[in-house]
Amino acid sequence: MMGIQLSVRTVLVALYALSIPAAQAQSTGAPARGFAWADRLTWGIEGAAGPRAGAAPDAGRWLDAQLRDGAGTLPPDAQRQLDAMRIVREPMTQLVVEEDAAIRAANALTDPDQRKTARDAYQKDMSALADEARARSILRALYAPDQLREQMTWFWFNHFNVHAPKRDIRAMVGDYEDTLHARALGKFRDLLEATLRHPAMLRYLDNDQNSAGHINENYAREIMELHTMGVGSGYSQQDVQELARILTGVGVDLKPDAPKLKPQWQPLYVRAGLFEFNPARHDFGDKHFLGHDIKGRGFAEVEQALDLIASSPATAHHVSLQIATYFMGDAPPADVVARMEQAFRRSDGDIARVLRAMIGAPAFKASLGTVFKDPAHYAISAVRYAYGDRVILNTQPVIGWLNRMGEGLYNHETPDGYDMRSDAWSGPGQMATRFDIARQIGGGSAGLFRPPGASADQPAFPQLQNAVYFGGLGATLGEPTRGALAKATSPQEWNTLFLSSPEFMHR
């Protein structure tokens, strides 16, 4: 086995030395275009089902369906796994309150051993909640029919990043991702406010600690710098400070009852689940933000500030550039970004229209097959190709692969999200890890079909030389890759070579 692994690795090194990009497909007919289309706009080609997005006559109809605001239906075997999850069965508010009560009770114990046991149980429960969210995210990416929504959900989570291990965010992260999922193709302004109202974001960027007389600028700065207008877009440090004042009182409250407030403040109090706007903590002084005077009047100030930010041309540019980079790779063409900006501004930030503007650009078609896959796209696309027709029973291997490749779900500590540039993921160490993942998937089922407590894992290994491959996918490979595949000495070795090829590394 070691000899086989070494021979395969040698072939892979030779392929990468030739720098064969996936764009150098040998076929330029409709099947090749279809596979490239599917590989870009979905989480990867389904090996058994074929490029459902790709048949040229149906591409427009498929895109129309993807951009409609309707939820897709998961296969029953995947949906059953979701239905068993605590994050699905219990509302987020209930989860957070229950876990908060558990850690408070644990900390109140006087016996050191009992206190440690109770604290460990709390940590285990919290980690399980985050793992359920990760499992759901992976199952949706693998099997949901509304693939463009799933891709945009990942994009928006990275754009509006939160770090699950901080404070009690592990109990919130599943609902936070659901919030993004529901609005992934809607209006940007609605998405922006939904993230502002979510306790996971308020915890992560400490706005629940932002109050009159104790200003915390963390969230205000990241809204301007990362979420909307972007660095160097014309806003000032004073704008950040004024936005921080506007955001005072926007926070989180786990208590069931509203606080006692002065009579004049009671009508201004806002509560929705764990979200709270507490006027007693708000700076009611007038503000001057982005060239506009904002009178002190409570949460209406926040709404006005969000309107100003979302309608800014700088936001249209920054968000369009980020989306284009995600789908088209490093330094997307300026004319494509300008086209997207125009769609953003004309449609009042309609994300579906921005995507349609990008996809309709000639440069988008020309870029198909050239974007290097980040770890998430690599791992998900490999499993989709290997097992697109059979629902996996264990997502832990995929979670582990993402961690090993440095792009673990909900694990990025800083607000900027994971780097979307190709050079962040194409180093020698990354390639060695991908080779090992390709070997695990290509040589067996890698634990994907081993449910908790089971000892057997079936099937033995996937059949990657399938109808999809012989029906056109194989023709998209370069001659060096096809030559290497022809030298494989076993189906497992062929699988490993295919999943490690330069073409499979691109979308």
Side-chain angles (χ1 to χ4, degrees):
M1 185 65 178
M2 181 59 70
I4 292 176
Q5 290 182 30
L6 289 175
S7 65
V8 172
R9 190 185 294 271
T10 300
V11 173
L12 293 175
V13 169
L15 284 175
Y16 276 98
L18 292 172
S19 301
I20 306 297
Q24 294 179 2
Q26 300 303 302
S27 172
T28 58
R33 290 196 302 271
F35 286 119
W37 172 279
D39 220 18
R40 175 66 64 80
L41 295 179
T42 75
W43 276 103
I45 298 166
E46 293 177 85
R52 293 175 181 170
D58 298 326
R61 186 182 304 171
W62 179 87
L63 181 60
D64 289 342
Q66 290 288 303
L67 292 175
R68 281 197 295 268
D69 193 18
T73 302
L74 287 172
D77 288 345
Q79 189 60 51
R80 276 192 287 271
Q81 295 181 55
L82 267 61
D83 291 342
M85 294 178 179
R86 191 178 170 201
I87 61 169
V88 173
R89 292 183 286 106
E90 297 183 41
M92 183 263 291
T93 299
Q94 181 178 333
L95 291 175
V96 174
V97 171
E98 287 176 352
E99 293 303 328
D100 181 70
I103 190 59
R104 288 177 182 274
N107 290 335
L109 293 172
T110 57
D111 181 89
D113 292 336
Q114 291 180 350
R115 185 167 58 248
K116 181 181 184 306
T117 299
R119 286 175 174 173
D120 289 348
Y122 165 80
Q123 294 295 339
K124 182 178 179 180
D125 284 349
M126 293 288 280
S127 295
L129 292 173
D131 277 342
E132 283 188 349
R134 294 183 179 102
R136 183 176 62 180
S137 181
I138 289 167
L139 288 170
R140 283 174 169 171
L142 287 172
Y143 304 113
D146 46 349
Q147 282 284 294
L148 198 48
R149 175 181 295 277
E150 299 306 326
Q151 285 225 45
M152 287 305 295
T153 300
W154 193 97
F155 169 81
W156 289 125
F157 195 105
N158 201 54
H159 186 82
F160 295 105
N161 182 59
V162 301
H163 185 224
K166 184 173 180 177
R167 299 172 71 181
D168 54 355
I169 295 176
R170 283 173 293 174
M172 303 173 177
V173 72
D175 186 84
Y176 181 69
E177 187 170 58
D178 250 0
T179 297
L180 302 174
H181 187 268
R183 296 163 179 81
L185 300 173
K187 292 291 185 76
F188 179 78
R189 168 65 174 78
D190 296 337
L191 180 61
L192 179 61
E193 182 165 350
T195 59
L196 180 143
R197 285 175 169 264
H198 203 282
M201 178 61 75
L202 299 174
R203 288 282 208 232
Y204 174 56
L205 290 177
D206 305 317
N207 206 81
D208 59 341
Q209 300 173 22
N210 183 22
S211 62
H214 300 280
I215 300 295
N216 187 308
E217 297 179 7
N218 287 357
Y219 185 33
R221 179 173 293 104
E222 304 308 346
I223 286 179
M224 306 291 287
E225 181 175 316
L226 298 174
H227 299 170
T228 59
M229 297 177 68
V231 177
S233 59
Y235 68 87
S236 66
Q237 173 60 22
Q238 183 179 355
D239 288 319
V240 172
Q241 293 169 346
E242 294 292 83
L243 182 57
R245 291 179 61 211
I246 292 168
L247 292 173
T248 52
V250 173
V252 180
D253 190 355
L254 274 56
K255 297 185 292 294
D257 300 322
K260 294 181 179 180
L261 299 170
K262 297 177 181 178
Q264 66 268 30
W265 284 346
Q266 291 174 5
L268 299 177
Y269 180 74
V270 180
R271 182 72 181 268
L274 300 180
F275 169 81
E276 176 187 71
F277 173 74
N278 188 340
R281 303 177 65 245
H282 182 65
D283 178 348
F284 277 92
D286 294 344
K287 293 92 177 175
H288 189 74
F289 177 64
L290 295 179
H292 293 76
D293 292 326
I294 296 181
K295 298 296 182 181
R297 61 194 191 282
F299 192 74
E301 300 170 43
V302 179
E303 300 279 9
Q304 184 179 353
L306 293 183
D307 288 342
L308 291 172
I309 295 170
S311 62
S312 168
T315 295
H317 173 76
H318 181 68
V319 173
S320 296
L321 177 61
Q322 294 295 305
I323 293 174
T325 301
Y326 175 68
F327 280 100
M328 298 181 64
D330 304 349
D335 62 323
V336 177
V337 177
R339 176 179 175 141
M340 296 167 69
E341 284 181 56
Q342 187 178 50
F344 189 105
R345 296 178 68 180
R346 285 182 173 178
S347 67
D348 192 28
D350 188 304
I351 297 161
R353 293 192 186 183
V354 173
L355 288 170
R356 191 181 291 277
M358 176 189 69
I359 295 166
F364 181 83
K365 180 180 177 181
S367 74
L368 294 177
T370 66
V371 177
F372 190 78
K373 293 177 181 177
D374 64 281
H377 276 94
Y378 177 71
I380 297 296
S381 65
V383 178
R384 271 177 67 83
Y385 189 80
Y387 297 113
D389 63 333
R390 182 175 180 182
V391 176
I392 64 173
L393 303 178
N394 186 356
T395 60
Q396 282 299 319
V398 184
I399 293 171
W401 296 332
L402 294 178
N403 289 336
R404 286 182 60 194
M405 289 187 285
E407 201 177 36
L409 290 173
Y410 324 139
N411 286 356
H412 193 70
E413 189 169 354
T414 55
D416 53 349
Y418 288 113
D419 199 330
M420 290 188 288
R421 295 175 302 171
S422 60
D423 60 5
W425 308 111
S426 56
Q430 178 81 195
M431 292 300 99
T433 301
R434 293 191 185 198
F435 167 79
D436 187 53
I437 293 168
R439 181 180 58 78
Q440 290 182 49
I441 297 174
S445 50
L448 295 168
F449 293 90
R450 185 185 300 123
S455 56
D457 191 17
Q458 296 294 330
F461 62 89
Q463 299 295 328
L464 302 190
Q465 294 185 72
N466 51 33
V468 172
Y469 179 81
F470 291 112
L473 182 59
T476 69
L477 304 179
E479 288 293 343
T481 296
R482 282 192 275 177
L485 292 173
K487 297 176 182 178
T489 59
S490 69
Q492 295 95 321
E493 188 176 30
W494 192 99
N495 289 347
T496 302
L497 280 166
F498 176 75
L499 295 177
S500 303
S501 66
E503 291 86 350
F504 195 83
M505 294 290 176
H506 291 76
R507 61 186 180 99

